[in-house]
Amino acid sequence: MKLLVKAPAKINLSLDVLGKREDGYHEVEMVMTTIDLADRLELTEISEDYVGILSRNRFVPADERNLAYQAARLLKERYQINKGVEISINKIIPVAAGLAGGSSDAAATLRGLNELWDLGLTLDELAELGAEIGSDVSFCVYGGTALAKGRGEKVTKLPAPPACWVVLAKPAIGVSTSEIYRSLDVSSIRHPHTTEMIQALENNDYEGVCENMANALESVTLHMYPEVLHIKKQMERFGADAVLMSGSGPTVFGLVRHDSRLQRIYNGLRGFCDQVFAVRMLGM
């Protein structure tokens, strides 16, 4: 039996870091939304007690480092499943990009195997399992738009952002999230206005969303990787309504309402950046 599952990327409309926790993670407050840029997973049930990962992308690990692998193993062990699964990942979301590609693959695997193995788990139960795998997995289980707190596992649904285009550009580098957090001085960061961002979403206020987009990790990543700052400046120069780095980077995204301006920004970025995408928000 086979099942196809979509694993959409996310962007951070707002990302605040409140401090270091006793467990070594950081306390965060993030407003996230899913976008129409997605990996596609094919789950094939097999009789052997085995989890296999297949991908043509050489940057996708095929072992226990892969979060989709971890999700399948967790379900197998927690619910004593004695059959296996082959997970074929068609990787569209750039790797190590700040777009939660690996986390979304894990979430899609949890949702898909819940159906394939007829486990009958609720989304809340799947999100709880997801929190054991990684900080963004719980949000990715739900998708849509949400406020994520704690280390990212406490998820509260929010209204969808106003309709607009999202242009994304990823430079030819990868960024280590743990390295960025290690380099962060929480006492010196400018904290985003999370409450105002939530109010803008509740009021369907596009200008308010643009004005309150902020990422507390930007100062670290932009300092360590000047190419990320260059992309941000170019996207602003080409006329995006608001520009921000997603997650710990290095992907930068801009919001755009007008189709004519979208084409200019997209073409301008393609002049010096290989991985450029123009997509819609999924929102709900």
Side-chain angles (χ1 to χ4, degrees):
M1 189 173 167
K2 290 188 178 187
L3 192 66
L4 292 171
V5 202
K6 269 180 82 170
K10 64 82 187 167
I11 52 172
N12 295 85
L13 297 175
S14 177
L15 192 163
D16 197 4
V17 183
L18 306 178
K20 191 98 179 270
R21 295 155 48 115
E22 288 181 7
D23 60 8
Y25 288 96
H26 283 78
E27 191 77 17
V28 295
E29 226 176 42
M30 305 182 289
V31 176
M32 300 194 280
T33 192
T34 44
I35 57 174
D36 197 15
L37 177 71
D39 293 343
R40 280 153 177 84
L41 279 65
E42 183 177 85
L43 310 178
T44 305
E45 190 176 71
I46 54 177
S47 54
E48 297 93 334
D49 188 5
Y50 163 78
V51 174
I53 301 288
L54 306 170
S55 179
R56 291 180 181 173
N57 188 313
R58 62 192 176 92
F59 297 112
V60 175
D63 53 23
E64 61 277 355
R65 292 170 297 161
N66 188 295
L67 298 187
Y69 176 95
Q70 292 178 31
R73 293 293 327 171
L74 179 61
L75 282 180
K76 274 176 61 58
E77 287 159 17
R78 193 65 50 89
Y79 297 98
Q80 288 92 51
I81 306 295
N82 55 16
K83 48 197 165 187
V85 63
E86 272 191 348
I87 305 169
S88 176
I89 302 175
N90 180 10
K91 197 78 187 147
I92 307 297
I93 304 168
V95 176
L99 300 172
S103 296
S104 194
D105 290 348
T109 299
L110 289 173
R111 290 194 311 269
L113 289 181
N114 184 45
E115 186 179 334
L116 201 62
W117 290 340
D118 200 22
L119 299 176
L121 300 170
T122 64
L123 277 185
D124 290 347
E125 288 169 323
L126 291 173
E128 229 172 275
L129 288 165
E132 298 180 36
I133 301 164
S135 299
D136 286 337
V137 180
S138 298
F139 165 76
C140 292
V141 165
Y142 295 111
T145 307
L147 171 68
K149 298 175 80 169
R151 59 179 180 85
E153 83 286 4
K154 297 173 184 170
V155 180
T156 307
K157 195 160 183 59
L158 292 173
C164 66
W165 288 99
V166 184
V167 185
L168 304 105
K170 180 194 175 286
I173 56 170
V175 166
S176 161
T177 300
S178 55
E179 181 189 21
I180 299 301
Y181 273 103
R182 271 198 308 274
S183 306
L184 182 70
D185 178 6
V186 178
S187 66
S188 69
I189 61 177
R190 290 180 62 187
H191 294 282
H193 301 298
T194 309
T195 305
E196 283 84 342
M197 173 60 79
I198 293 169
Q199 284 173 350
L201 292 171
E202 288 172 345
N203 295 330
N204 197 40
D205 175 7
Y206 180 71
E207 284 74 23
V209 168
C210 290
E211 284 166 16
N212 290 292
M213 276 173 37
N215 183 341
L217 300 178
E218 260 196 354
S219 58
V220 179
T221 306
L222 298 188
H223 176 72
M224 292 172 71
Y225 300 94
E227 49 268 79
V228 181
L229 177 60
H230 176 64
I231 287 177
K232 184 171 183 184
K233 284 182 173 174
Q234 291 302 310
M235 205 178 281
E236 288 168 343
R237 188 169 72 83
F238 293 142
D241 297 325
V243 181
L244 194 67
M245 182 183 81
S246 186
S248 56
T251 301
V252 175
F253 70 91
L255 303 188
V256 193
R257 269 212 152 152
H258 300 294
D259 290 7
S260 56
R261 201 182 297 170
L262 168 77
Q263 204 58 51
R264 186 171 78 232
I265 296 167
Y266 180 83
N267 291 341
L269 292 167
R270 287 286 295 164
F272 64 92
C273 192
D274 285 340
Q275 291 189 291
V276 183
F277 308 89
V279 297
R280 291 287 193 177
M281 295 195 201
L282 294 176
M284 298 304 286

